[in-house]
Amino acid sequence: MGSPPPFLNKLFALVNDSYWNELIRWENNGQTFIIIDPIEFSKKILPAYFKHKNFSSFLRQLNKYGFSKLSPDEWIFGHKEFKYGKQEQLSGIIRKKKFKTNHLNFPDENIEHLNKKIEADIEFLKRSRQSFSKNFIDIYSRQEQFLIQQQNIELNQKKLESEVKILENEVCQLKGFIFGYLSKVIGKGDEKSKISEFPFFLPDEQRASESFSKTTEPPLDCYEKFPKEEKIVFFN
């Protein structure tokens, strides 16, 4: 076997260095190692040993060489060839091979089909988004048109109400003019009797009074037309 990679040699020396025991040290009788404070570890150790401060990059390196995180709550790592006092075993730690695009062992034609399907789905989502945007703009435009039409209807309604009032005033003035004219033509003596024959030209109050007086007359006795003591004679 060849010599271990520089990363493994540096890591082994680092864990063995008692100077850094407050940040990294052996655990479980030298079977694993633990990183106590990842933040301080990134600030002080990574720049000195690995020329960067990226803890995530350090974790990726461990993963590439087959190290496993052994605790969900602590940064404890282990590898069957990484043991205390066993530096010669570092040569047995092999870096994982880079996965090809087809790392899931799919046939090439399936990969190509999957890529085309993904591209088609992305294109469909783009068209759907454009269609949604267009529909939203159309709905917004229609809403604005509806509000404008509603305002126009309200304005026309107010205008119509105003015109109706003006027309009512003109009708009242015309009735007054005709009433005055008829009064002069008919004469003062029998003015009321003559004008009463044209109730349409009477003022509203007077027309109502005339109508009431007519309806309040006593009903006719239809039996007065016949003789009271008339006898019916039958011939034998």
Side-chain angles (χ1 to χ4, degrees), residues 139-205:
I139 292 173
Y140 183 77
S141 177
R142 291 178 183 178
Q143 185 179 12
E144 283 189 338
Q145 292 178 1
F146 174 78
L147 292 175
I148 293 174
Q149 290 177 357
Q150 187 177 9
Q151 292 176 355
N152 291 334
I153 291 174
E154 292 177 354
L155 291 175
N156 291 333
Q157 184 178 2
K158 291 180 180 179
K159 182 178 179 181
L160 182 60
E161 291 176 353
S162 177
E163 291 178 353
V164 169
K165 289 181 180 180
I166 294 174
L167 183 60
E168 289 178 349
N169 291 333
E170 292 178 352
V171 170
C172 290
Q173 292 176 3
L174 181 61
K175 288 170 63 177
F177 172 78
I178 295 175
F179 180 78
Y181 177 77
L182 292 176
S183 298
K184 292 179 181 179
V185 172
I186 294 173
K188 298 181 179 180
D190 51 351
E191 176 181 347
K192 294 183 178 179
S193 60
K194 294 295 184 178
I195 295 178
S196 62
E197 296 178 2
F198 305 93
F200 175 77
F201 301 110
L202 292 175
D204 294 338
E205 295 82 359

Side-chain angles (χ1 to χ4, degrees), residues 23-188:
L23 298 178
I24 184 171
R25 64 172 179 262
W26 291 104
E27 282 281 302
N28 192 23
N29 296 323
Q31 302 299 307
T32 60
F33 70 92
I34 180 173
I35 298 174
I36 294 96
D37 189 344
I39 296 177
E40 291 299 318
F41 179 84
S42 301
K43 290 180 180 179
K44 296 178 179 180
I45 294 180
L46 289 182
Y49 281 81
F50 303 101
K51 298 181 181 180
H52 66 80
K53 296 182 179 180
N54 193 332
F55 187 69
S56 297
S57 177
F58 175 77
L59 295 180
R60 284 195 296 270
Q61 284 292 100
L62 291 176
N63 182 59
K64 288 178 181 179
Y65 285 100
F67 286 83
S68 301
K69 189 173 184 295
L70 304 176
S71 173
D73 302 322
E74 296 180 297
W75 297 98
I76 299 175
F77 302 91
H79 191 287
K80 65 180 181 179
E81 302 293 344
F82 194 85
K83 308 292 182 184
Y84 176 75
K86 303 291 184 180
Q87 188 172 4
E88 68 277 4
Q89 294 183 5
L90 295 180
S91 300
I93 301 176
I94 301 174
R95 184 171 179 173
K96 296 178 181 179
K97 294 181 179 180
K98 292 183 179 180
F99 292 113
K100 296 181 179 179
T101 306
N102 193 10
H103 64 280
L104 297 179
N105 296 322
F106 287 162
D108 291 339
E109 57 270 16
N110 288 351
I111 292 294
E112 184 178 357
H113 175 73
L114 183 61
N115 289 335
K116 289 182 178 180
K117 186 177 184 305
I118 293 174
E119 292 176 357
D121 291 341
I122 292 174
E123 187 65 25
F124 173 76
L125 290 175
K126 289 181 179 179
R127 290 197 302 269
S128 298
R129 183 179 179 182
Q130 293 175 354
S131 177
F132 175 80
S133 300
K134 183 179 179 181
N135 291 336
F136 178 79
I137 294 174
D138 291 342
I139 292 173
Y140 183 77
S141 177
R142 291 178 183 178
Q143 185 179 12
E144 283 189 338
Q145 292 178 1
F146 174 78
L147 292 175
I148 293 174
Q149 290 177 357
Q150 187 177 9
Q151 292 176 355
N152 291 334
I153 291 174
E154 292 177 354
L155 291 175
N156 291 333
Q157 184 178 2
K158 291 180 180 179
K159 182 178 179 181
L160 182 60
E161 291 176 353
S162 177
E163 291 178 353
V164 169
K165 289 181 180 180
I166 294 174
L167 183 60
E168 289 178 349
N169 291 333
E170 292 178 352
V171 170
C172 290
Q173 292 176 3
L174 181 61
K175 288 170 63 177
F177 172 78
I178 295 175
F179 180 78
Y181 177 77
L182 292 176
S183 298
K184 292 179 181 179
V185 172
I186 294 173
K188 298 181 179 180

